[in-house]
């Protein structure tokens, strides 16, 4: 019996022990889904607070209530550690670590490399390794594979161990599409690798979508998020075009969205926030530059999207000027600093760029966000104003940067002297 068939049999019997490296918004839900499918799961994370919380059965991720995690931890089906030696007893390891950018804008895959080096220390015959972190095409075979099939290990990919890439598709806060029911793309270094990956994920996730290689799977994820970034860049340019045409961009986009086919609605905004969309496409354009190709749509969309905070800061300056006021010394209240509505995440939030730009021009800027009571981010340390009504009354200009559902937008509109609305949260009267 080959190592592959033995692994697949252990998976079928739920005897396989699964490790998940990285217990964030991707790794923890994945670990829970495997544990609920009957596997013994060990989470590995360098953050002792995460390890302690999971060991007590307490969740720190919105998508996983403690009531769902606790029974698994208490039944011993799920545990956590910071000691990578736990991998020695595991049959499968899923890597769910961050893939940020360096300050230079180049991919930072140091977390992937660190995980691969740890796995290499405990790699044994019959082990399956699956990379989930979003990265450029080629990472699995060019970076991970050499570390696992180093001559001293004597282990051969596809025969002794198995290596796959399967992109994460977690959208934090979403309840309709979850880790368990979102189709999961899977590519293997060899057919045997793909077979092992499909066996494991197919035991816990409703639909596994095989593709011909790890590179195809890596590219699939980047296409998904590049599609969003480029279309958001397009509608932000539509805003700039409509302004010159004297048209309301949101009216035009809403009207276009009535087309029941061949159109997908995106809306202009303050820029591009989050930990995925602003970053993932730059992994792709970086890789293509190494192949002497310039990914023009990605670069143009990035140029337009990153220019939006400056566009909106200028709108504030112009609006105050039209009201006979200088931006310098004006009280400006920013509503919403999270990167998108109804979340508390601030990563790459364009609202922060707008605040910086307004402050640079001498405005006295405060903010309110029901999901962000205070923050210390990118050189700013601010607290949300406590009394929204009085803050609006005192403001020379209100900037709507994040259109949280918690706001009473008609009331904001009535109370504000001046509004710059980057999200069209305040809707004009219907025709
Ligand atoms: N944004 C716009 N206009 C739009 C849509 C978004 O300005 O029409 C802005 C948002 O305000 C935000 C940024 O772009 O600042 C990104 O927004 P997003 O809706 O893409 O949200 P994310 O970053 O949470 O994207 C995640 C992604 N999920 C994964 O990578 C697994 C993405 O693939 C999902 O499609 C997206 O959630 C989703 O649909 O909610």
């Amino acid at each position: 019996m080959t190592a592959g068939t033995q692994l697949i049999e252990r998976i079928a019997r739920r005897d396989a022990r699964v490790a998940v490296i990285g217990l964030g918004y991707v790794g923890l839900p994945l670990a829970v889904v495997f544990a609920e499918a009957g596997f013994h799961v060990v989470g590995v994370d360098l953050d002792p607070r995460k390890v302690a919380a999971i060991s007590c059965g307490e969740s720190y991720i919105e998508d996983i209530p403690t009531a769902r995690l606790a029974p698994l931890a208490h039944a011993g089906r799920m545990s956590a550690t910071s000691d990578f030696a736990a991998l020695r007893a595991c049959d499968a390891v899923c890597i769910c670590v961050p893939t940020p950018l360096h300050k230079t804008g180049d991919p930072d895959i140091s977390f992937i490399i660190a995980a691969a080096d740890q796995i290499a220390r405990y790699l044994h015959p019959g082990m399956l390794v699956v990379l989930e972190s979003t990265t450029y095409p080629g990472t699995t075979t060019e970076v991970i594979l050499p570390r696992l099939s180093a001559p001293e290990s004597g282990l051969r990919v596809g025969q002794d161990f198995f290596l796959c890439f399967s992109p994460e598709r977690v959208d934090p806060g979403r309840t309709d599409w979850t880790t368990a029911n979102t189709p999961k793309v899977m590519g293997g270094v060899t057919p045997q690798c793909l077979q092992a990956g499909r066996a494991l994920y197919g035991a816990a996730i409703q639909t596994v979508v095989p593709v011909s290689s790890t590179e195809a799977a890596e590219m699939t994820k980047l296409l998904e998020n590049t599609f969003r970034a480029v279309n958001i860049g397009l509608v932000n340019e539509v805003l700039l075009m409509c302004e010159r045409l004297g048209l309301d961009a949101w009216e035009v986009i809403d009207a276009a969205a009535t087309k029941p086919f061949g159109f997908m609605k995106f809306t202009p905004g303050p820029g591009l926030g989050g930990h995925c969309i602003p970053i993932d496409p730059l992994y792709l354009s970086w890789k293509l530059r190494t192949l002497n190709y310039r990914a023009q749509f990605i670069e143009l969309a990035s140029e337009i999207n990153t220019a939006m905070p400056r566009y909106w800061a200028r709108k504030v300056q112009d609006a105050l000027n039209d009201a006979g006021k200088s931006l310098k010394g004006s009280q400006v209240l920013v509503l919403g600093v999270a990167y998108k509505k109804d979340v508390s995440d601030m990563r790459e939030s364009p609202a922060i760029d707008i605040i910086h730009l307004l402050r640079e021009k001498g405005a006295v800027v405060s903010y309110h966000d029901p999901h962000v009571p205070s923050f210390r981010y990118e050189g700013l340390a601010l607290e949300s104003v406590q009394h929204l009504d009085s803050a609006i009354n005192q403001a020379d200009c209100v900037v709507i940067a994040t259109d949280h559902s918690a706001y009473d937008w008609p009331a904001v509109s009535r109370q504000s002297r001046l509004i710059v609305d980057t999200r069209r949260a305040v809707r004009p009267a219907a025709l």
Side-chain angles (χ1 to χ4, degrees), residues 74-90:
H74 299 152
R77 191 162 291 292
M78 191 168 154
S79 61
T81 179
S82 294
D83 182 358
F84 281 87
L87 301 182
R88 186 180 284 118
C90 291

Side-chain angles (χ1 to χ4, degrees), residues 15 53 59 90 146 386 397 431:
D15 287 346
S59 177
C90 291
Q386 293 300 312
C397 182
L431 295 178

Side-chain angles (χ1 to χ4, degrees), residues 64 104 132 138-139 150 162 166 297 349 353 380 393 414 421:
I64 298 293
T104 54
E132 290 221 356
T139 303
F162 308 93
S166 180
F297 278 102
S349 173
D353 298 325
L380 284 175
N393 292 333
R414 285 194 301 275
D421 186 354

Side-chain angles (χ1 to χ4, degrees), residues 55-367:
S55 303
C56 304
E58 289 166 14
S59 177
Y60 45 83
I61 295 284
E62 282 177 62
D63 294 351
I64 298 293
T66 290
R68 194 172 157 197
L69 174 62
L72 298 169
H74 299 152
R77 191 162 291 292
M78 191 168 154
S79 61
T81 179
S82 294
D83 182 358
F84 281 87
L87 301 182
R88 186 180 284 118
C90 291
D91 304 285
V93 187
C94 304
I95 308 171
C96 302
V97 296
T99 46
L101 292 174
H102 286 298
K103 286 294 178 200
T104 54
D106 290 354
D108 174 4
I109 58 168
S110 58
F111 297 100
I112 290 180
I113 291 169
D117 287 341
Q118 287 289 358
I119 294 169
R121 294 174 61 194
Y122 305 103
L123 191 68
H124 55 74
M127 201 172 196
L128 166 64
V129 179
V130 182
L131 175 61
E132 290 221 356
S133 306
T134 304
T135 185
Y136 59 82
T139 303
T140 304
T141 50
E142 297 163 11
V143 175
I144 294 190
L145 179 58
R147 285 170 166 78
L148 300 187
S149 50
E152 53 269 23
S153 83
L155 296 175
R156 298 154 299 174
V157 68
Q159 295 180 58
D160 302 313
F161 73 95
F162 308 93
L163 179 57
C164 294
F165 182 83
S166 180
E168 60 91 357
R169 282 177 164 175
V170 176
D171 180 22
R174 186 181 281 275
T175 53
D176 51 353
W177 294 104
T178 65
T179 298
N181 71 357
T182 301
K184 201 79 167 59
V185 171
M186 175 79 65
V189 172
T190 72
Q192 296 77 11
C193 297
L194 176 59
Q195 190 181 13
R198 292 178 75 175
L200 177 65
Y201 278 68
I205 289 174
Q206 283 175 20
T207 310
V208 178
V209 181
V211 291
S212 60
S213 66
T214 57
E215 288 82 0
E218 289 159 338
M219 183 62 182
T220 297
K221 170 66 180 185
L222 292 178
L223 170 58
E224 290 166 14
N225 285 0
T226 298
F227 167 79
R228 290 187 71 77
V230 168
N231 278 285
I232 292 163
L234 170 63
V235 289
N236 280 328
E237 184 168 43
V238 165
L239 175 67
L240 305 181
M241 291 192 270
C242 282
E243 185 172 58
R244 284 160 178 75
L245 292 166
L247 297 174
D248 179 338
W250 277 270
E251 177 188 22
V252 170
I253 292 166
D254 285 348
T258 60
K259 182 180 179 187
F261 52 85
F263 184 80
M264 182 172 181
K265 181 178 180 180
F266 290 85
T267 50
L272 209 50
H275 44 279
C276 306
I277 309 304
I279 291 166
D280 298 349
L282 300 184
Y283 266 68
L284 181 56
S285 57
W286 173 87
K287 174 67 178 181
L288 270 300
R289 279 200 300 278
T290 68
L291 302 173
N292 295 319
Y293 181 82
R294 190 170 147 258
Q296 302 170 70
F297 278 102
I298 293 175
E299 293 184 6
L300 177 57
S302 180
E303 193 180 307
I304 291 172
N305 290 328
T306 49
M308 292 313 289
R310 191 170 298 279
Y311 165 83
W312 287 110
R314 182 59 191 264
K315 298 296 282 184
V316 174
Q317 186 168 18
D318 292 348
L320 286 166
N321 188 54
D322 292 346
K325 292 181 181 177
S326 157
L327 177 57
K328 189 169 184 172
S330 287
Q331 300 277 348
V332 179
L333 174 66
V334 173
L335 297 187
V337 292
Y339 80 86
K340 71 175 183 180
K341 72 188 299 188
D342 302 342
V343 302
S344 57
D345 194 337
M346 291 183 54
R347 283 174 287 187
E348 306 295 322
S349 173
I352 304 305
D353 298 325
I354 291 173
I355 291 174
H356 273 302
L357 289 165
L358 294 173
R359 286 165 68 117
E360 281 166 17
K361 291 177 182 286
V364 179
V365 186
S366 56
Y367 89 94

